[in-house]
């Protein structure tokens, strides 16, 4: 495995920030490719420019202590993403009519934002922990609590929708959603505890990011389920709660990656 | 070293009335378990043996599985009011340096009724027809359904096959690759094949093809596997707590040493077991890891009854064990394994009391029961001349 590619063995936490940045940059590449395939040169160039924007934030982000500082350090990138996405939507409204293309681009923008959260969670944890594994675990715990609070909010909104459901199909759908969220909440803490036990033994040969992605793969599926259910219900409050839950989950994942990297550097 | 047992021929599930006539003439009527405990006990008594003739009653399904040496899937699901004979064969072999053994179904003699079959290499004797595997798709296991009536046999192919009857052979396969879309009816007056416009009885048989493999929980009185496992774990813990109360203290161990009646090995084992059970709260896996970590293996050479050869082996192994224990402790592996063992117990308790899981199990059981209640095979219409295989 090449350095920086997912799967490369993380020997130390210093490489972890770079690996997270490369992982984020890969998603810029996919957006660029999408515009290149569609022969939209301006947007292609703008997507190419995202890497430079990220690089300009990295020095400050690499020193960030905690998620909030990492978020602040990468605010210029997020601002550019907002402007870029708005420009694309404006162009689409005025000049295009291909729904599947629009959906693809929207999905790629979302991926970038989620991977940005992973970068923030990871970089912030690396900075806060300063090589100390116990501090990294604390940061993971804090981000897990943040994630849990958003899932609880979603669950509470889902219960309200279930209470108002009128037709049989509305009731069935509401029941499916509340079953899903109550199950997520039931096992959320124990899943976090189980992930923390991975930090007890030796690091193993697997790369930190690869391990974090693998061990949270099924949870990612559940989080996507929140978003798709909120979308189908067409409920704005639930869509917002689902989005917050997604972002906090990806930040947690980044923190986990940082913790694995610190473990590997011991 | 003993060969690894890969599995025998056994039933995986059944419901309703199942009767078995043994080769020697004795009979066994399969019982209905009211819970997992009883089901576990019944499994000890209700084995499938070579030469068994098995009959299913009304609304009774059963699945039997074999374990061929090449690890291929081997299964026969018997529908209600069916009868068949099972022949089994033991095998022994070696794979990647490991000795293995198992038992496969070597022959099935189908007498009457309907069956969904994954034969693997078993010989299958079916009234009126012979079936040959001509399937070339590597990702599809050869399988089919066969419906045996007094004056006809109907084959529902699951993949490409050659069916021979009265000296005439015909290649057939499931239309669109879906079992239930092709029907080959063999009567005394010839073969008749239908594709897509199959008879209602064929549709029903196809929809129940794997019904008996999904019967989990129907015979267990509503207790889920998780609830059963959790209950057993709690029962085990209570027994451990009782055993812990009787574990020797340091003072007791010192008395044992002074009495001169116990070897250092026996004293060491008691000490290590007592320490690990107290530290782990008596739980099974965590206690086992703890004992491994706590034991001074060099003292085991004094174990009464061991031969000089065994003593020598223990003396040679003891420093290596000590080194391994040291590495496991220093690397955190021991702590990790113990923590994960405790968490898995916690997970089991959570799952056992999960209301959503309970609700889904109840719904699945109700579904199964409704499906079972709805099972009623319509008769075949007379074969149509346009369907005759020329």
């Amino acid at each position: 495995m090449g350095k920086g590619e997912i799967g490369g063995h993380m020997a130390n936490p210093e490489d972890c920030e770079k690996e997270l940045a490369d992982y984020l940059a890969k998603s810029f590449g996919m957006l660029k490719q999408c515009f290149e395939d569609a022969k939209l040169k301006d947007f292609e160039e703008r997507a190419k420019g995202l890497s430079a924007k990220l690089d300009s934030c990295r020095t400050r982000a690499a020193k960030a202590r905690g998620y909030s500082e990492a978020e602040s350090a990468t605010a210029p990138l997020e601002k550019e993403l907002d402007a870029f996405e708005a420009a694309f939507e404006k162009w689409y409204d005025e000049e295009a009519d291909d729904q599947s293309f629009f959906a693809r681009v929207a999905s790629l923008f979302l991926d970038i934002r989620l991977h940005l959260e992973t970068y923030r969670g990871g970089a912030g944890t690396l900075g806060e922990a300063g090589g100390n594994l116990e501090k990294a675990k604390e940061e993971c715990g804090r981000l897990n609590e943040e994630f849990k609070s958003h899932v609880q909010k979603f669950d509470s909104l889902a219960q309200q929708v279930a209470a108002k459901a009128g037709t049989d199909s509305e009731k069935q759908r509401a029941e499916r959603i509340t079953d899903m969220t109550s199950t997520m909440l039931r096992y959320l803490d124990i899943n976090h505890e189980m992930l923390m036990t991975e930090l007890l033994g030796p690091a193993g040969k697997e790369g930190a990011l690869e391990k974090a992605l693998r061990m949270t793969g099924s949870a990612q599926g559940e989080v996507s389920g929140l978003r798709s259910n909120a979308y189908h219900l067409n409920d704005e409050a639930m869509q917002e709660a689902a989005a917050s839950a997604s972002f906090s989950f990806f930040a947690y994942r980044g923190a986990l990656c940082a913790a694995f990297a610190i473990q590997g550097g011991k | 070293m003993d060969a690894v047992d890969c599995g025998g021929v056994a039933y995986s599930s059944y419901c309703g009335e199942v009767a078995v006539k043994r080769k020697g003439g004795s009979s066994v009527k399969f019982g209905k378990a009211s819970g997992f405990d009883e089901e576990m006990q019944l499994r000890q008594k209700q084995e499938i043996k070579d030469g068994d003739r098995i009959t299913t009653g009304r609304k009774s399904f059963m699945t039997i599985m074999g374990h061929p040496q090449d690890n291929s899937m081997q299964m026969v699901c018997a529908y209600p009011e069916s009868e068949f004979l099972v022949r089994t064969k033991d095998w022994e072999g070696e794979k990647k340096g490991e000795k293995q053994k198992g038992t496969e179904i070597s022959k099935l003699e189908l007498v009457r009724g309907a069956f969904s079959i994954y034969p693997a290499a078993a010989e299958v004797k079916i009234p009126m027809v012979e079936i040959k595997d001509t399937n070339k798709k590597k990702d599809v296991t050869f399988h089919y359904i066969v419906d045996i009536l007094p004056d006809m046999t109907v084959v529902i192919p699951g993949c490409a096959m050659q069916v021979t009857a009265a000296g005439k052979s015909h290649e057939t396969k499931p239309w669109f690759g879906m079992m239930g879309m092709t029907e080959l009816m063999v009567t005394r007056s010839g073969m008749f094949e239908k594709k897509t416009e199959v008879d209602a009885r064929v549709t029903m048989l196809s929809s129940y093809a794997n019904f008996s493999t999904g019967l989990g929980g129907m015979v267990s009185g509503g207790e889920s596997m998780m609830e059963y496992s959790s209950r057993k774990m709690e029962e085990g813990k209570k027994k451990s707590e009782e055993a812990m109360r009787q574990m020797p203290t340091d003072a007791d161990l010192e008395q044992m040493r002074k009495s001169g009646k116990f070897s250092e090995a026996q004293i060491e084992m008691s000490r290590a077991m007592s320490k690990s059970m107290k530290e782990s709260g008596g739980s099974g896996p965590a206690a086992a890891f703890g004992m491994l970590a706590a034991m001074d293996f060099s003292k085991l050479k004094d174990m009464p009854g061991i031969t000089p050869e065994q003593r020598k082996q223990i003396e040679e192994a003891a420093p290596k064990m000590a080194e391994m224990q040291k590495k496991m402790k220093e690397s955190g592996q021991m702590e990790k394994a113990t923590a994960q063992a405790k968490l898995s117990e916690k997970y089991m308790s959570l799952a056992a009391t999960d209301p959503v899981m309970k609700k889904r199990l109840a719904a699945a059981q109700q579904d199964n029961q409704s499906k079972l209640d709805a099972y009623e095979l319509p008769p075949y219409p007379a074969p149509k001349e346009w369907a005759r295989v020329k």
Side-chain angles (χ1 to χ4, degrees):
Chain A
M1 281 278 167
K3 208 177 168 188
E5 289 181 52
I6 296 170
H9 174 49
M10 267 312 107
N12 56 59
E14 284 76 31
D15 292 340
C16 179
E17 185 275 332
K18 185 181 183 311
E19 191 180 41
L20 287 165
D22 288 345
Y23 180 59
L24 173 55
K26 254 191 167 177
S27 54
F28 300 155
M30 291 182 70
L31 184 66
K32 174 200 155 301
Q33 188 62 51
C34 180
F35 286 129
E36 187 183 328
D37 292 344
K39 296 183 175 36
L40 293 166
K41 193 75 189 162
D42 288 347
F43 287 136
E44 183 194 333
E45 287 303 311
R46 199 162 178 178
K48 227 168 151 180
L50 289 171
S51 286
K53 205 66 178 183
L54 170 63
D55 284 343
S56 73
C57 300
R58 280 182 61 195
T59 310
R60 202 177 139 209
K63 292 181 191 146
R65 294 193 57 168
Y67 172 86
S68 299
E69 283 188 19
E71 185 186 31
S72 165
T74 51
L77 173 59
E78 190 171 3
K79 199 172 165 190
E80 167 55 12
L81 276 172
D82 290 342
F84 189 173
E85 198 167 4
F88 170 74
E89 283 173 11
K90 184 170 184 288
W91 168 84
Y92 182 84
D93 280 341
E94 290 168 1
E95 301 190 39
D97 187 22
D98 180 346
Q99 284 186 2
S100 68
F101 176 68
F102 182 86
R104 169 109 180 102
V105 171
S107 163
L108 288 171
F109 269 113
L110 175 60
D111 278 350
I112 289 172
R113 290 180 193 284
L114 292 172
H115 293 165
L116 175 58
E117 291 305 307
T118 301
Y119 176 80
R120 285 168 167 171
T125 299
L126 286 169
E128 176 67 16
N132 184 306
L133 188 57
E134 287 309 307
K135 283 195 173 164
K137 283 160 82 170
E138 278 169 26
E139 193 64 11
C140 288
R142 203 186 60 72
L143 288 170
N144 183 59
E145 285 300 313
E146 175 88 15
F147 170 51
K148 188 163 85 173
S149 72
H150 293 300
V151 178
Q152 281 167 336
K153 178 150 189 210
F154 185 95
D155 178 57
S156 148
L157 291 167
Q159 302 286 347
Q160 288 171 32
V161 165
K164 288 182 204 156
T167 65
D168 278 349
S169 68
E170 278 174 3
K171 283 179 185 163
Q172 277 171 18
R173 166 171 274 161
E175 190 183 0
R176 266 200 313 273
I177 297 172
T178 52
D179 280 355
M180 181 187 69
T181 52
S182 65
T183 301
M184 270 181 86
L185 285 168
R186 189 175 186 84
Y187 298 101
L188 205 141
D189 284 338
I190 198 172
N191 287 342
H192 169 69
E193 282 182 71
M194 200 52 110
L195 285 168
M196 291 299 101
T197 64
E198 287 294 324
L199 295 167
L200 287 170
K205 293 195 173 118
E206 197 176 9
L209 179 57
E210 189 184 0
K211 192 170 181 179
L213 292 175
R214 178 176 62 79
M215 302 206 83
T216 56
S218 61
Q220 182 183 341
E222 289 170 353
V223 168
S224 300
L226 295 179
R227 292 192 83 114
S228 64
N229 277 299
Y231 170 78
H232 284 115
L233 282 175
N234 205 17
D235 185 307
E236 214 177 288
M238 284 180 78
Q239 283 169 10
E240 243 179 72
S244 299
S246 292
F247 288 139
S248 60
F249 168 76
F250 276 79
Y252 169 74
R253 183 184 253 183
L256 201 57
C257 169
F260 286 144
I262 291 169
Q263 180 193 29
K266 268 173 27 180
Chain B
M1 200 182 229
D2 281 348
V4 170
D5 194 346
C6 298
V9 174
Y11 68 85
S12 59
S13 58
Y14 68 92
C15 70
E17 293 160 3
V18 172
V20 174
K21 227 176 199 164
R22 301 275 192 222
K23 211 158 50 173
S26 62
S27 308
V28 175
K29 215 171 168 183
F30 276 30
K32 186 179 163 84
S34 57
F36 270 113
D37 292 304
E38 208 181 323
E39 193 174 333
M40 295 299 155
Q41 285 166 11
L42 282 177
R43 277 196 182 270
Q44 308 289 335
K45 289 188 212 168
Q46 294 170 175
E47 291 178 307
I48 301 296
K49 296 184 180 178
D50 179 37
D52 280 352
R53 183 172 287 268
I54 300 163
T55 323
T56 53
R58 216 179 151 267
K59 304 272 187 180
S60 307
F61 287 80
M62 182 195 216
T63 298
I64 291 177
M65 300 184 78
H67 288 85
Q69 191 169 2
D70 64 359
N71 216 21
S72 52
M73 184 163 165
Q74 188 178 61
M75 188 167 82
V76 53
C77 305
Y79 288 74
E81 295 176 300
S82 301
E83 185 180 343
F84 65 111
L85 187 127
V86 178
R87 297 305 310 269
T88 66
K89 191 174 87 176
D90 295 337
W91 57 264
E92 272 185 28
E94 205 169 297
K95 196 172 180 181
K96 291 182 185 173
E98 183 187 65
K99 281 192 192 154
Q100 295 181 336
K101 63 178 183 179
T103 311
E104 61 182 341
I105 298 171
S106 58
K107 189 176 177 181
L108 289 166
E109 275 181 37
L110 311 182
V111 178
R112 60 181 172 93
F115 305 86
S116 169
I117 303 177
Y118 288 73
E123 181 192 343
V124 184
K125 223 172 140 197
I126 309 170
M128 294 182 82
V129 305
E130 275 172 38
I131 294 177
K132 188 179 165 188
D133 178 1
T134 57
N135 171 48
K136 298 225 177 351
K137 289 185 185 175
K138 287 198 171 94
D139 57 340
V140 176
T141 309
F142 184 62
H143 66 290
Y144 53 86
I145 295 172
V146 62
D147 187 12
I148 301 162
L149 290 99
D151 52 356
M152 70 171 76
T153 295
V154 176
V155 180
I156 306 168
C159 25
M161 56 171 54
Q162 182 188 76
V163 179
T164 304
K168 184 190 175 83
S169 290
H170 174 66
E171 296 278 346
T172 186
K173 63 182 181 182
W175 209 235
F176 303 125
M178 285 168 56
M179 184 147 81
M181 297 300 278
T182 300
E183 165 192 338
L184 183 68
M185 182 186 281
V186 177
T187 70
R188 292 188 211 294
S189 66
M191 279 193 205
F192 301 84
E193 189 178 45
K194 286 182 182 173
K195 292 167 189 171
T196 68
E197 291 172 31
V198 297
D199 295 316
R201 189 177 168 110
V202 165
T203 304
M204 179 147 272
L205 284 169
S206 306
S207 72
Y208 280 77
N210 297 315
F211 177 72
S212 63
T213 57
L215 281 173
M218 275 194 76
V219 295
S220 308
E223 186 182 45
S224 71
M225 181 53 89
M226 275 295 178
E227 283 171 312
Y228 170 75
S229 305
S230 180
R231 180 165 60 81
K232 282 290 163 194
M233 187 182 71
E234 289 305 316
E235 284 171 11
K237 270 193 166 170
K238 284 199 173 98
K239 283 184 187 158
S240 297
E241 276 162 24
E242 185 50 45
M244 261 167 52
R245 276 192 271 277
Q246 307 200 11
M247 280 284 127
T249 61
D250 287 345
D252 293 332
L253 291 170
E254 199 43 45
Q255 279 297 109
M256 282 167 75
R257 190 172 279 116
K258 280 181 182 165
S259 74
K261 289 179 187 169
F262 299 94
S263 69
E264 274 304 314
Q266 286 167 315
I267 293 167
E268 176 55 23
M269 280 195 72
S270 297
R271 186 199 68 78
M273 202 183 304
S274 175
K275 182 174 191 287
S276 73
M277 284 184 81
K278 280 173 190 164
E279 281 173 2
S280 66
S283 78
F289 285 126
M291 196 164 159
L292 191 67
M295 183 103 63
D296 180 352
F297 285 89
S298 66
K299 292 191 175 164
L300 296 187
K301 67 184 190 310
D302 295 328
M303 187 66 78
I306 61 170
T307 64
E309 181 60 35
Q310 285 169 329
R311 177 191 291 259
K312 191 176 166 212
Q313 284 173 350
I314 289 170
E315 280 173 335
E316 280 169 12
K320 290 176 194 164
M321 292 301 291
E323 188 57 36
M324 186 192 76
Q325 282 171 321
K326 190 175 167 216
K327 274 189 182 151
M328 282 180 82
K329 272 185 202 154
E330 283 172 0
S331 68
Q333 261 176 338
M334 194 60 72
E335 196 188 350
K336 176 178 169 179
T338 308
Q340 287 182 337
K342 284 187 171 162
L343 275 178
S344 67
E345 288 175 13
K346 198 172 162 184
Y347 182 87
M348 211 187 299
S349 298
L350 270 179
T353 52
D354 186 341
V356 172
M357 260 204 219
K358 273 183 122 126
K359 190 169 58 164
R360 284 183 185 155
L361 177 65
Q365 285 174 337
Q366 202 169 29
D367 235 9
N368 272 342
Q369 190 59 56
S370 301
K371 222 179 160 188
L372 188 62
D373 292 340
Y375 181 80
E376 200 74 54
L377 287 180
Y380 286 107
K384 300 281 186 286
E385 204 46 48
W386 57 258
R388 184 182 288 276
V389 172
K390 293 188 172 51

